[in-house]
């Protein structure tokens, strides 16, 4: 798998997939900036250097419009510029060049985030290409395999509508989808220069051909998470692939802290991209004051050694094994940014959630689960001591959140196969059948106008206009003939009189 990304959280699902494949006997290689903490059998990390200062600068810029869905759509170009450069630098790195010169593979899995021009690696290694998306279906991933968008019935990933959409929601859904399609197609032009510089036209097929050479798309979603979607065979849901019932041991100090939380414990983490230490001071003070008034203990992800005004019932840590912490029997609540991985882990463990979304798909994710009834949405701009206290009291004292979370956990786990078994089957299927071209939808070979029948609609409009014009000319001609005949007969009668 090749997954050049600035975010460790992007690698959580990808790592879950590769670790699972390694356990099943596959020899896997992960090319990224985030290696495994411990060596694993059949698993090899090829580590790429990463400039973390650029990431912090990007996150600071994104924080300026935290929680604003429409601003976030227009910030997509800012958000994607950095990962495109990282992906381009990957192709030039000595570690990866050595792999390209000396090794071969049965399948290239591309961790998908502003790096789709790397699909040309399939031609280099002469093997099929699969894509793994850490979010649900988007226009970009749908286009790769000809999957329908169903804008009229399926919510855009940034909006998070559930159930049947109202007219106004469908209008907003149409606008959001149109913006995404427009921005995606603009970036496709930019991507061509990256593709052609790394895969020269005299040696490799064109960029468009590379985009049509994707055999499989794995999406980090499950239909029980809301928003039932139509899928072609080449698009497969693997939501929750990084989670299982097996719980690894957690650090001793955290274990003892949670074991002693007889009144329950709360876990607070905004993921790997948004650092708690970056929060505005007024919002941080509000959060700490509210936590200090609770009887529950609080595990707080904090990136520095000390936290001023830390309450006595709080334990801080730079890194915490979130997936295993959420499995602890004393955890009563998870305060999260609403990333897809975090939501999947909370849902799998049946833990209620307070979602404070910042950017990307987080607004839509939190909106969707709050409508499901096991989460409380608190927008970042609205976060004050009063609003956060209300949110804590609501989720901790109203049993409906816990009961619904437990039900959603059962629903999420109820599958004929685990997510790993599903992914493994289709990956092996694509390898066995040399890319499985018979599984490709004809829609892959249609452009936007053809795929949406706009050319056909335009054709019928022209035909109708032509027929209408001809009919109008004929009607005018007939009218003149009739009028001439009528006037002629009238004139003859006048002469006879």
């Amino acid at each position: 798998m090749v997954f050049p990304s600035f975010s460790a959280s992007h690698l959580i699902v990808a790592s879950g997939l590769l670790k699972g494949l390694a356990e099943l006997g596959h020899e896997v290689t992960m090319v990224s900036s985030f290696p495994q903490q411990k060596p694993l059998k059949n698993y090899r990390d090829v580590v790429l250097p990463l400039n973390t200062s650029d990431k912090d600068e990007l996150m600071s810029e994104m924080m300026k419009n935290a929680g604003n869905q429409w601003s976030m759509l227009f910030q997509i170009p800012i958000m994607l510029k950095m990962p495109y450069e990282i992906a381009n630098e990957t192709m030039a790195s000595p570690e990866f060049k050595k792999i390209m010169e000396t090794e071969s593979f049965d399948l290239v899995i591309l961790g998908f985030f502003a790096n789709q021009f790397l699909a040309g690696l399939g031609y280099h290694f002469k093997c099929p290409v699969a894509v793994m998306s850490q979010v649900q279906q988007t226009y970009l991933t749908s286009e790769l395999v000809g999957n329908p968008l169903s804008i009229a019935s399926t919510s855009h990933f940034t909006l998070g509508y559930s159930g049947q959409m109202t007219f106004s929601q469908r209008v907003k859904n149409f606008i959001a989808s149109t913006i995404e399609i427009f921005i995606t197609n603009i970036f496709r032009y930019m991507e061509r220069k990256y593709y052609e510089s790394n895969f020269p036209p005299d040696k490799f097929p064109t960029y468009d051909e590379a985009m049509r050479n994707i055999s499989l798309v794995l999406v980090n979603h499950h239909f029980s998470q809301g928003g039932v979607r139509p899928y072609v065979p080449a698009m497969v849901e693997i939501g929750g692939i990084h989670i299982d019932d097996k719980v690894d041991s957690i650090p001793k100090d955290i274990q003892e802290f949670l074991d002693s939380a007889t009144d329950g414990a709360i876990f607070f983490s905004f993921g790997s991209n948004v650092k708690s230490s970056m929060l505005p001071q007024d919002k941080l003070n509000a959060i700490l004051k509210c936590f200090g008034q609770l009887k529950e203990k609080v595990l707080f992800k904090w990136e520095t050694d000390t936290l001023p005004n830390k309450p006595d019932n709080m334990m801080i840590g730079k890194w915490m094994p979130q997936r295993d912490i959420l499995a602890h029997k004393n955890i009563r609540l998870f305060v999260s940014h609403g990333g897809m991985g975090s939501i999947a882990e909370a849902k799998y463990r049946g833990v209620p959630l307070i979602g404070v979304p910042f950017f990307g798909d987080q607004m839509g994710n939190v909106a969707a689960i709050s409508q499901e009834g096991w989460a409380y949405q608190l927008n970042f701009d609205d976060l004050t001591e009063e609003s956060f206290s209300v949110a804590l009291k609501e989720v901790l004292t109203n049993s409906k959140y816990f009961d619904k979370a437990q039900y959603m956990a059962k629903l999420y786990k109820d599958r004929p196969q685990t997510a790993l078994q599903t992914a493994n089957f289709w990956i092996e299927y694509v390898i066995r059948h040399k890319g499985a071209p018979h599984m490709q939808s004809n829609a892959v070979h249609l452009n936007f106008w053809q795929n949406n029948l706009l050319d056909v609609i335009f054709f019928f409009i022209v035909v109708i206009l032509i027929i209408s014009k001809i009919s109008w000319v004929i009607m005018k001609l007939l009218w003149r003939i009739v009028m001439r005949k009528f006037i002629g007969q009238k004139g003859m009668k006048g002469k006879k009189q």
Side-chain angles (χ1 to χ4, degrees):
M1 173 180 278
V2 183
F3 202 159
S5 174
F6 59 82
S7 172
S9 62
H10 289 171
L11 274 292
I12 292 175
V13 176
S15 178
L17 169 63
L18 287 200
K19 285 194 291 186
L21 293 174
E23 289 174 2
L24 293 171
H26 295 280
E27 295 287 339
V28 301
T29 297
M30 168 66 95
V31 181
S32 76
S33 299
F34 304 95
Q36 295 295 316
Q37 292 182 336
K38 299 178 182 178
L40 300 172
K41 184 181 179 182
N42 300 330
Y43 191 112
R44 175 180 58 149
D45 274 309
V46 177
V47 184
L48 303 172
L50 178 65
N51 187 341
T52 57
S53 62
D54 290 342
K55 173 192 170 182
D56 292 341
E57 184 179 339
L58 174 63
M59 290 300 106
S60 297
E61 183 67 26
M62 300 293 288
M63 286 282 285
K64 293 178 182 178
N65 291 290
N68 188 314
Q69 293 167 319
W70 298 105
S71 294
M72 199 52 56
L73 279 169
F74 289 102
Q75 279 191 316
I76 288 177
I78 299 174
M79 184 170 58
L80 297 185
K81 182 179 179 181
M82 182 179 174
Y84 273 123
E85 289 298 328
I86 294 173
N88 194 46
E89 291 167 5
T90 298
M91 291 294 294
S93 69
E95 299 90 347
F96 193 63
K97 278 188 172 181
K98 184 178 179 181
I99 290 176
M100 293 184 67
E101 292 169 358
T102 62
E103 299 188 35
S104 62
F105 298 91
D106 297 316
L107 177 71
V108 169
I109 303 178
L110 180 58
F112 213 52
F113 189 70
N115 55 16
Q116 43 269 36
F117 67 90
L118 295 180
L121 290 171
Y123 294 121
H124 175 83
F125 290 113
K126 297 179 173 57
C127 68
V129 178
V131 162
M132 200 227 70
S133 172
Q134 70 272 15
V135 298
Q136 56 191 277
Q137 170 202 14
T138 63
Y139 167 69
L140 183 55
T141 51
S142 295
E143 193 180 32
L144 294 175
V145 290
N147 201 74
L149 284 179
S150 301
I151 296 174
S153 60
T154 303
S155 173
H156 191 268
F157 71 94
T158 62
L159 299 178
Y161 299 137
S162 63
Q164 188 171 347
M165 290 183 287
T166 64
F167 176 76
S168 62
Q169 287 175 333
R170 286 189 291 116
V171 169
K172 293 176 183 176
N173 202 53
F174 176 80
I175 294 172
S177 300
T178 301
I179 292 172
E180 184 197 2
I181 291 170
F182 178 73
I183 292 175
T184 298
N185 281 295
I186 288 177
F187 268 91
R188 279 204 137 189
Y189 284 102
M190 186 183 76
E191 275 183 353
R192 290 176 189 275
K193 70 174 184 179
Y194 288 121
Y195 179 86
E196 290 172 0
S197 66
N198 290 291
F199 305 101
D202 58 330
K203 297 180 180 179
F204 293 90
T206 65
Y207 169 80
D208 290 327
E209 288 177 285
M211 292 300 102
R212 292 192 291 265
N213 191 43
I214 306 298
S215 300
L216 180 68
V217 171
L218 303 171
V219 291
N220 183 27
H221 190 260
H222 184 256
F223 65 85
S224 68
Q225 292 176 269
V228 175
R229 292 163 167 76
Y231 291 123
V232 296
M235 181 169 277
V236 178
E237 291 186 331
I238 58 166
I241 194 169
H242 64 298
I243 322 166
D244 56 37
D245 292 324
K246 179 185 175 183
V247 180
D248 295 331
S249 60
I250 57 180
K252 184 179 179 181
D253 56 343
I254 296 177
Q255 182 72 52
E256 292 176 349
F257 183 80
L258 292 177
D259 289 344
S260 66
T262 54
D263 291 314
I266 298 169
F267 181 48
F268 181 101
S269 173
F270 283 156
S272 63
N273 292 328
V274 177
K275 294 181 178 179
S276 301
S277 54
M278 294 171 59
L279 294 174
Q281 193 61 47
D282 60 327
K283 295 190 183 296
L284 178 60
N285 290 340
I287 292 169
L288 296 179
K289 188 172 182 180
C290 288
F291 279 146
Q293 296 169 354
L294 299 176
K295 61 182 179 180
E296 290 84 3
K297 291 192 173 184
V298 181
L299 269 178
F300 196 90
K301 183 177 177 292
W302 184 254
E303 294 76 25
T304 60
D305 294 325
T306 59
L307 173 58
N309 302 319
K310 181 179 77 68
D312 294 335
N313 63 337
M314 179 179 287
M315 175 181 177
I316 62 173
K318 297 179 182 179
W319 176 85
M320 295 187 178
Q322 177 174 293
R323 185 169 60 243
D324 301 313
I325 287 172
L326 291 174
H328 195 281
K329 63 180 181 179
N330 289 339
I331 292 291
R332 297 288 181 269
L333 171 65
F334 180 25
V335 181
S336 169
H337 62 309
M340 186 63 81
S342 294
I343 286 178
E345 289 166 14
K347 177 170 281 190
Y348 195 92
R349 303 303 187 195
V351 177
L353 185 145
I354 293 177
V356 185
F358 289 86
F359 40 71
D361 62 328
Q362 296 165 12
M363 286 81 76
N365 296 341
V366 174
I369 61 175
S370 64
Q371 292 176 61
E372 288 176 352
W374 62 281
Y376 186 102
Q377 180 169 357
L378 178 59
N379 293 331
F380 184 70
D381 285 344
D382 300 329
L383 198 160
T384 62
E385 181 183 339
E386 180 182 1
S387 65
F388 192 54
S389 178
V390 168
L392 289 170
K393 182 178 179 181
E394 170 67 13
V395 181
L396 289 171
T397 61
N398 192 333
S399 61
K400 74 172 187 178
Y401 291 93
F402 177 78
D403 294 341
K404 188 67 174 184
Q406 291 292 303
Y407 171 73
M408 295 305 295
K410 293 178 182 177
L411 196 63
Y412 192 54
K413 297 175 188 177
D414 192 358
R415 316 181 188 193
Q417 289 182 306
T418 66
L420 176 59
Q421 289 171 338
T422 301
N424 182 63
F425 171 82
W426 287 108
I427 285 172
E428 291 184 347
Y429 184 91
V430 166
I431 294 173
R432 282 197 305 270
H433 297 287
K434 311 299 181 185
H438 58 279
M439 201 164 66
Q440 188 180 68
S441 167
N442 291 330
V444 172
H445 302 278
L446 302 178
N447 61 36
F448 178 82
W449 303 96
Q450 295 169 329
N451 199 31
N452 291 279
L453 288 177
L454 295 179
D455 56 339
V456 175
I457 293 172
F458 179 75
F459 168 76
F460 278 113
I461 289 174
V462 171
V463 169
I464 291 170
L465 289 174
I466 292 173
I467 292 174
S468 298
K469 180 67 175 178
I470 294 173
S471 299
W472 174 249
V473 170
I474 292 173
M475 289 297 294
K476 284 179 67 176
L477 182 62
L478 289 175
W479 176 254
R480 288 175 182 172
I481 293 173
V482 170
M483 290 303 296
R484 285 174 184 170
K485 188 173 182 181
F486 176 76
I487 293 172
Q489 289 178 348
K490 192 173 181 180
M492 290 180 65
K493 287 181 181 179
K495 289 179 180 180
K496 288 180 180 180
Q497 291 177 351

